[in-house]
Amino acid sequence: MFPDEFEYERPETVDEAVDLLVDHPEAEILAGGHSLLPTMKSGLASPDLLVDIGHIDAMQGIDHADGTVSVGALTNYATVDDSPVMRENVTVFAETAHAVGDVQVRNRGTVGGNLAHADPASDLPAAALAADATMVLQGPDGERRVDADDFFLGMYATDVAEDELLTRIEFPARPEATGAYAKKPSPSSGYAMVGVAVSMTVDAGRVEDVGVAANGIMDHGVRLDPVEDALAGTNPDGETVATAATNAANDLDEMMMMDDLQASAEFRAQLLETYAERAITDAATGTGVVAAGPS
Amino acid sequence: MTDKREITLTVNGTERTVEAEPRKLLVHAIREDLDLTGTHIGCDTGNCGACTVLKDGEPIKSCLTFAVQADGSEIMTVEGMEDLPEASGELHPLQEGFREEHGLQCGYCTPGMIMSGKALLDENPDPEEGEIREAISGNLCRCTGYQNIVKSIEYAADELNKEPAAADGGTVTAEQRFADDDFDCGVENCCGGPSTETPHVEGADPQFDDVGGDDT
């Protein structure tokens, strides 16, 4: 499986990359390539030009300052997974990064590539929603900030314009919050048939702040508002969590749910409740355990 | 054809340059341009891990990376294992482990397994079984059922943890064992052992014949 021929550019700075995107709006951006290469090798994509942003050092790494954790878009999953700053302040995102793919994939795949690609079965969109992430986009007119809630528009569709680059993702630092991600992986690909991310702060036995979001169920990552509402202010014991999770699909249009050979929409809706309950329970108990594998 | 680019890779400690089209995958550059065919192409979709190499010390799938993306990096393939100091000029303890513990049947996944095992042991010299299984979760084997692969990596961990004792006279490596012996089997680049009074005759004992053809 050889990809078709393409022209190749390797900018060293964000500005150079944006200039290339302005001149070539049809170009594809190459970061870790772990979503792009499979589509190119299988002939699903044949871009004429790849802009390889992999050598832009300014888009690498994790910074923590003034209550904000900023993650460069080129930071790979393993770096996020292993980062004490992320584990402490954005637990849900670190837990979810650990659930992506396998060791080799986590060493090459980038968080920015994952979010900008917006695969509905990918893991990170739910974590970005649950952690109240802000996407920072750089275009010819400068920088623009988009809340995660406004970022994911559909299957492989985001708010990033053709001449824009996702340069970093910012999170409010929440050292007091616990986080968890629970997913039902596809037995063949490992992608999420359903995955639920939860970030939760409990104060004096009451849920003070909670974010709950899911992948795999709709054509893009979605926040599960009815579950968040049901949990707010409660003591998150087993019964409360189980009841809250029954609301998981309340706001979701069943006609628009993902429905394919792997899992029907009806089955995914069932999985959604189960995995919402597991993720919330893990977050409530502070274990943050990823429930991977058949169960 | 799009213009070729010159790519510089440090492969198993040696700087190499490759002229490659941007679309050339790293695994093809390694196998075809550098003639290092120990790295295998399995599923070609990023699932099976047969193409695993270390890039700057981290295991990656070389079929999911363009060679140009690896420009300037250090690559280690399975061929580099026997040049490591732990190998004492022979098989690396990981390779020895796969032989001792029957960690392979067809052998196709083995180079990738060894590179994932190497990355694990570099970071965690004394892994639990669960940690070994996690480390090789990106490498598929369709023969062994994984049990013996896990044992092979455990064997290597034990051997590597033992080796520092050699200086104290605790564990003796093969190289040390034969060091005082002027044994030479007569073959060019004699490996130094196993020592025997009787000169080795090709075919007399198939166990000592060069089986060849094994990339691992």
Side-chain angles (χ1 to χ4, degrees):
Chain A
M1 294 196 288
F2 294 88
D4 283 340
E5 291 175 11
F6 55 83
E7 298 294 331
Y8 175 84
E9 296 284 353
R10 186 195 291 163
E12 302 281 337
T13 66
V14 171
D15 287 340
E16 280 176 42
V18 171
D19 285 347
L20 283 162
L21 296 176
V22 169
D23 292 342
H24 306 278
E26 77 291 351
E28 286 282 350
I29 298 167
L30 173 65
H34 274 40
S35 296
L36 183 59
L37 262 75
T39 59
M40 290 177 67
K41 289 172 72 177
S42 57
L44 291 170
S46 297
D48 292 327
L49 171 65
L50 288 194
V51 176
D52 181 358
I53 59 172
H55 288 69
I56 303 179
D57 292 340
M59 288 173 62
Q60 290 275 5
I62 298 165
D63 288 320
H64 179 203
D66 303 327
T68 298
V69 178
S70 175
V71 179
L74 284 178
T75 310
N76 64 37
Y77 304 112
T79 302
V80 169
D81 180 15
D82 294 341
S83 159
V85 167
M86 293 300 286
R87 290 259 151 215
E88 171 72 12
N89 296 290
V90 201
T91 313
V92 64
F93 205 74
E95 284 291 333
T96 308
H98 183 76
V100 175
D102 53 46
V103 177
Q104 294 95 319
V105 169
R106 292 196 292 275
N107 281 333
R108 284 292 292 161
T110 67
V111 297
N114 180 303
L115 295 167
H117 184 56
D119 188 322
S122 185
D123 297 302
L124 292 190
L129 288 162
D132 297 322
T134 301
M135 312 295 171
V136 182
L137 311 176
Q138 176 90 33
D141 302 324
E143 216 168 69
R144 178 167 83 88
R145 308 161 72 79
V146 182
D147 286 348
D149 286 284
D150 302 321
F151 183 78
F152 303 105
L153 303 179
M155 194 176 287
Y156 307 115
T158 67
D159 196 41
V160 184
E162 280 179 334
D163 57 2
E164 283 181 321
L165 191 62
L166 172 61
T167 56
R168 65 183 190 275
I169 304 104
E170 292 182 351
F171 301 90
R174 289 179 177 150
E176 69 289 356
T178 57
Y181 181 66
K183 80 163 163 175
K184 174 74 172 172
S186 156
S188 58
S189 72
Y191 276 84
M193 297 205 292
V194 162
V196 180
V198 177
S199 178
M200 183 187 277
T201 306
V202 178
D203 187 35
R206 302 284 157 199
V207 175
E208 196 176 79
D209 187 32
V210 62
V212 183
N215 307 300
I217 184 82
M218 306 301 281
D219 65 352
H220 59 89
V222 287
R223 184 182 292 277
L224 303 179
D225 296 297
V227 181
E228 294 180 355
D229 294 344
L231 287 170
T234 66
N235 170 19
D237 59 18
E239 197 181 324
T240 306
V241 170
T243 307
T246 61
N247 297 316
N250 281 7
D251 275 6
L252 306 178
D253 181 353
E254 200 175 324
M255 296 300 289
M256 298 297 287
M257 282 183 189
M258 298 290 285
D259 186 311
D260 57 27
L261 284 174
Q262 305 240 26
S264 65
E266 189 183 7
F267 181 44
R268 280 176 206 263
Q270 286 180 17
L271 289 174
L272 183 66
E273 283 188 23
T274 302
Y275 283 80
E277 184 180 341
R278 289 183 188 177
I280 299 163
T281 303
D282 287 346
T285 54
T287 55
V289 170
V290 177
S295 50
Chain B
M1 192 171 78
T2 36
D3 291 342
K4 290 188 173 181
R5 296 174 70 101
E6 187 176 286
I7 298 157
T8 305
L9 303 169
T10 302
V11 181
N12 300 329
T14 306
E15 191 172 297
R16 310 282 297 264
T17 53
V18 174
E19 297 272 332
E21 276 188 86
R23 66 171 175 161
K24 178 166 268 185
L25 299 169
L26 178 59
V27 69
H28 289 136
I30 290 170
R31 287 178 56 86
E32 293 162 15
D33 295 279
L34 302 177
D35 200 25
L36 294 169
T37 53
T39 303
H40 291 170
I41 300 171
C43 68
D44 214 7
T45 62
N47 280 293
C48 81
C51 65
T52 300
V53 299
L54 304 189
K55 176 177 176 288
D56 299 324
E58 301 287 345
I60 67 158
K61 290 175 177 171
S62 59
C63 84
L64 274 194
T65 302
F66 291 120
V68 288
Q69 291 179 278
D71 193 8
S73 64
E74 288 192 17
I75 300 293
M76 183 176 178
T77 70
V78 70
E79 287 90 344
M81 293 295 286
E82 67 180 12
D83 295 331
L84 295 174
E86 310 91 274
S88 307
E90 298 186 5
L91 289 181
H92 185 276
L94 265 164
Q95 296 169 303
E96 191 69 35
F98 275 74
R99 184 165 75 178
E100 290 297 321
E101 299 292 338
H102 302 278
L104 64 146
Q105 287 177 33
C106 84
Y108 204 88
C109 71
T110 312
M113 289 288 182
I114 285 175
M115 299 321 289
S116 287
K118 159 90 175 123
L120 170 68
L121 297 183
D122 284 348
E123 199 170 292
N124 179 359
D126 192 18
E128 302 286 323
E129 181 186 338
E131 292 170 324
I132 295 175
R133 290 183 180 274
E134 165 73 17
I136 60 168
S137 61
N139 296 77
L140 299 184
C141 172
R142 299 288 82 150
C143 305
T144 64
Y146 300 101
Q147 303 291 352
N148 288 351
I149 293 175
V150 173
K151 286 183 196 164
S152 303
I153 295 173
E154 285 172 342
Y155 174 101
D158 290 345
E159 286 297 309
L160 289 166
N161 291 334
K162 253 195 264 178
E163 280 192 3
D168 312 319
T171 307
V172 181
T173 65
E175 194 173 47
Q176 290 166 326
R177 195 181 313 140
F178 295 113
D180 301 330
D181 234 326
D182 282 338
F183 170 74
D184 188 334
C185 67
V187 174
E188 195 184 352
N189 301 323
C190 168
C191 68
S195 181
T196 168
E197 294 301 310
T198 319
H200 172 58
V201 179
E202 193 79 10
D205 186 344
Q207 189 189 340
F208 297 121
D209 286 350
D210 179 14
V211 290
D214 191 343
D215 292 331
T216 62

